[in-house]
Amino acid sequence: MNRRKAAIAAAGTLAAGALTAGLISVPSASAEGSAAQRGDSGKRHGSAEARGVEQAAARAARTGVDWKDCPADWNLKAPIQCGWVTVPVDYAKPHGKKIKIAVDRARSTGDKSQRQGSLVYNPGGPGGSGMAFPKRIPDKNPLWAKAATAYDFVGFDPRGVGHSAPISCADPQEWVKAPKDDPVPDSEADKRAQRKLAKEYADGCKERSGALLPHMTTPNAARDLDVIRAALGDKKLNFLGVSYGTYMGAVYAELFPGHVRRMITDSVVNPSPKKIWYDVNLDQDIAFQTRWDDWKKWVAKHDAVYGIGSTPAKIEAKWRELRATAKKDPIGGAVGPAELLGFFQSAPYYDSAWARVASAWSAYLKGDEKPLIESAAPDMSDVAGNKASENSNAVYTAVECNDAQWPRDWKTWDRDNTRLHEKYPFLTWSNAWMNYPCGVWPLKQHKATDVKARTAHPVLMIQATRDAATPYPGGVELHKRLKGSRLITEKDAGSHGITNLKNDCINKRVDAYLLKGTVDAKDLTCGPHATPEPQKSPAKAAATAKAASLPAIK
């Protein structure tokens, strides 16, 4: 559920001690007995789609991927290679209209005896592209060096994203224009205006996205993932899903439990059908407020560096003052309350953004508006980037609106968000308006997938207790629903996407799982990764935060 792209950077030093248990090895199932184990979703998930995905996977296994140098404008240089995997638009009609899914890879660094297949990656969204993932091998990312000896790193653009039959709901240049209306309404008229915009956006999705739009669902993305697995020549899937990618992985595990070889879910979306997707977003509002408060404490602790406020209360007062100033007179003509929130919410998302946000704000208070404007205002000259941003938002909207039943009466939305805003004002109304197109969605909404499975190999789950975007109970819920899984808890931490952070307690278990298939005998708790160090210079703070740019759940 990614609102905008935000940066993830590896933390500096390794984390505190952990409560650990001995490692055990759990062998993969080489022979799969029941239909459910074999991944034959059959009666449970619709025989037509089940037969369709089997046929598509069989074709893909015969065809493979014709790997070539990537197109120059994809910004993926050798040794990374690119290719295509053909999938049906509608799996109930596998011989009907088809689309091509863009994939890329970097070959493993190990010899033939070390290779264990492909590690496929999804960074989140819905709407995120995984095409940057293979760069971790040629860039020699130290956290992934051991895994790189065993696996080709494979990324892909899910259906509707990027190069894979991209969809759209609005003109990108119009969509990014700023300043936008303040998401926090002052009146019923403000609410009516936001509802009108949401209805126009939902209708725009139907008008601009064509025949693919009804088939933009997580189950179809999971089916595409199985076809990709077959095209890669892997009998079973090795998968790393972050944020929304965990829900894609969970639905895959439900549809194809016998096809799971290794699966890591990092920062888990709550998969309960009662939560997807309306309540998941309400839960986010509470968690974002908690993590926003954590960031304010950190900024107050480093007041000697930033000079914003010596207590969280003083910083909150400054934040409200900044919003009011920008609402009355947008900063640089383009940064109002909505744009400020778009930038400042990266701090509750990722620890790596803490210093960047604080530095830009500090510079503004000292008379230098440039870092804040550059960070928060749209770049109207970046036509390609704006197109990608609108595409990502379109996919986010389409998948979440199609996946599950949403309240169709405005009174429910108004009641729930008004109540939440009283205690958790940081994100609530902004989140509501982003999702309200689902309340007026012009297409059929499906019944959410009920994930309950035992996979061929245990799924490894990693969750931080103070994660804002995917609150901790989501990891606990998926753990209950995937039998035999293991949960690693990063205690007293809240950064999103933690497999890409330096925490020895977690990193060594990720390596052991991918290389040897081992998991701990019991669930365990790790200490937090290192707390960010303050950086006064906005330029240096921005450079530090740019280590990785990974979409996440909204």
Side-chain angles (χ1 to χ4, degrees):
M1 294 178 356
N2 187 27
R3 184 181 310 272
R4 293 173 181 85
K5 292 185 179 180
I8 293 176
T13 58
L14 55 105
L19 302 173
T20 61
L23 287 174
I24 60 172
S25 179
V26 183
S28 297
S30 56
E32 303 155 18
S34 69
Q37 281 182 315
R38 289 194 302 270
D40 305 334
S41 46
K43 295 179 181 178
R44 293 168 61 204
H45 300 293
S47 58
E49 286 82 1
R51 288 193 298 269
V53 73
E54 287 176 0
Q55 293 173 25
R59 286 197 300 267
R62 292 192 298 269
T63 305
V65 180
D66 183 15
W67 295 110
K68 296 181 179 179
D69 288 343
C70 301
D73 60 349
W74 288 19
N75 195 31
L76 297 165
K77 298 179 180 179
I80 295 173
Q81 298 174 304
C82 292
W84 302 93
V85 176
T86 301
V87 300
V89 168
D90 182 354
Y91 278 94
K93 301 175 181 178
H95 300 293
K97 188 174 181 180
K98 297 177 177 62
I99 58 173
K100 290 185 176 182
I101 302 294
V103 295
D104 67 337
R105 74 172 180 183
R107 299 285 285 175
S108 69
T109 60
D111 58 35
K112 187 175 181 180
S113 66
Q114 294 173 292
R115 292 195 72 254
Q116 297 188 40
S118 302
L119 178 61
V120 185
Y121 175 78
N122 180 269
S129 168
M131 299 288 278
F133 177 65
K135 291 182 179 181
R136 296 185 188 184
I137 290 182
D139 289 352
K140 298 182 179 179
N141 185 309
L143 294 181
W144 297 94
K146 291 182 180 179
T149 64
Y151 297 94
D152 296 344
F153 282 12
V154 174
F156 70 104
D157 278 343
R159 60 170 52 204
V161 176
H163 308 294
S164 300
I167 67 168
S168 173
C169 296
D171 177 83
Q173 291 297 99
E174 289 296 319
W175 186 76
V176 301
K177 277 185 179 179
K180 295 184 176 3
D181 291 341
D182 186 350
V184 179
D186 291 327
S187 65
E188 290 300 314
D190 288 347
K191 293 178 183 179
R192 287 193 297 270
Q194 291 283 4
R195 290 168 63 191
K196 182 176 183 289
L197 290 173
K199 179 67 164 58
E200 290 172 352
Y201 190 79
D203 291 343
C205 293
K206 185 176 181 180
E207 293 168 5
R208 296 172 65 95
S209 295
L212 183 58
L213 187 65
H215 304 286
M216 292 292 300
T217 67
T218 300
N220 279 336
R223 295 179 181 112
D224 293 345
L225 187 57
D226 199 57
V227 178
I228 292 171
R229 170 202 59 77
L232 294 172
D234 290 343
K235 292 183 178 180
K236 296 180 186 293
L237 177 71
N238 306 298
F239 180 70
L240 169 61
V242 182
S243 195
Y244 166 74
T246 69
Y247 187 58
M248 184 186 294
V251 173
Y252 182 93
E254 170 64 20
L255 296 179
F256 310 100
H259 292 180
V260 175
R261 182 179 182 273
R262 305 280 189 270
M263 181 178 287
I264 298 174
T265 60
D266 171 2
S267 305
V268 180
V269 173
N270 193 321
S272 168
K274 295 180 180 179
K275 290 288 185 178
I276 294 293
W277 283 103
Y278 181 73
D279 281 359
V280 162
N281 283 280
L282 297 181
D283 291 346
Q284 267 193 334
D285 300 338
I286 299 171
F288 260 93
Q289 190 71 45
T290 299
R291 197 58 178 162
W292 170 250
D293 292 343
D294 289 347
W295 179 71
K296 288 186 296 185
K297 291 177 183 177
W298 180 85
V299 176
K301 180 181 178 181
H302 299 292
D303 190 46
V305 177
Y306 298 118
I308 299 171
S310 58
T311 67
K314 290 180 179 179
I315 292 168
E316 179 67 25
K318 284 285 189 181
W319 163 246
R320 297 187 181 194
E321 180 183 325
L322 178 63
R323 287 186 85 263
T325 299
K327 184 171 184 174
K328 183 178 180 180
D329 184 14
I331 302 165
V335 178
E339 291 71 34
L340 285 174
L341 186 58
F343 172 51
F344 274 75
Q345 71 176 8
S346 60
Y349 252 124
Y350 307 112
D351 291 4
S352 61
W354 282 15
R356 181 188 178 198
V357 176
S359 297
W361 192 6
S362 177
Y364 168 82
L365 292 173
K366 294 171 183 175
D368 182 5
E369 296 182 342
K370 185 178 178 181
L372 188 58
I373 294 170
E374 289 182 343
S375 298
D379 180 358
M380 299 307 296
S381 68
D382 183 11
V383 176
N386 295 337
K387 183 178 180 180
S389 182
E390 192 280 323
N391 167 240
S392 179
N393 197 80
V395 174
Y396 166 85
T397 303
V399 172
E400 291 206 3
C401 294
N402 285 335
D403 262 1
Q405 305 292 321
W406 290 75
R408 306 294 282 193
D409 61 302
W410 164 245
K411 289 183 179 180
T412 298
W413 291 75
D414 195 18
R415 178 200 66 210
D416 291 344
N417 288 282
T418 298
R419 174 179 55 83
L420 279 174
H421 178 76
E422 291 178 1
K423 289 187 176 181
Y424 314 102
F426 178 72
L427 192 71
T428 297
W429 277 114
S430 176
N431 212 5
W433 300 129
M434 181 176 182
N435 290 291
Y436 191 64
C438 297
V440 290
W441 193 238
L443 277 69
K444 176 184 176 181
Q445 295 179 325
H446 300 277
K447 185 177 180 181
T449 302
D450 192 7
V451 175
K452 291 180 181 177
R454 180 179 291 276
T455 54
H457 191 83
V459 173
L460 180 63
M461 303 172 185
I462 305 169
Q463 190 77 21
T465 57
R466 301 181 74 80
D467 188 337
T470 51
Y472 183 74
V476 176
E477 182 69 20
L478 183 59
H479 184 31
K480 292 177 182 177
R481 289 172 172 270
L482 292 184
K483 303 301 181 184
S485 59
R486 292 290 185 272
L487 175 62
I488 298 176
T489 298
E490 189 183 27
K491 189 177 181 181
D492 299 327
S495 200
H496 191 64
I498 51 182
T499 51
N500 208 40
L501 300 175
K502 189 174 182 182
N503 184 332
D504 187 58
C505 177
I506 294 172
N507 303 148
K508 68 183 181 182
R509 286 173 170 81
V510 168
D511 283 339
Y513 178 77
L514 291 174
L515 296 175
K516 301 177 183 178
T518 54
V519 295
D520 285 272
K522 297 180 180 180
D523 298 338
L524 78 150
T525 299
C526 291
H529 59 272
T531 302
E533 292 294 326
Q535 291 180 309
K536 188 173 183 179
S537 164
K540 289 183 179 180
T544 299
K546 200 177 178 180
S549 182
L550 305 178
I553 176 168
K554 187 171 71 312

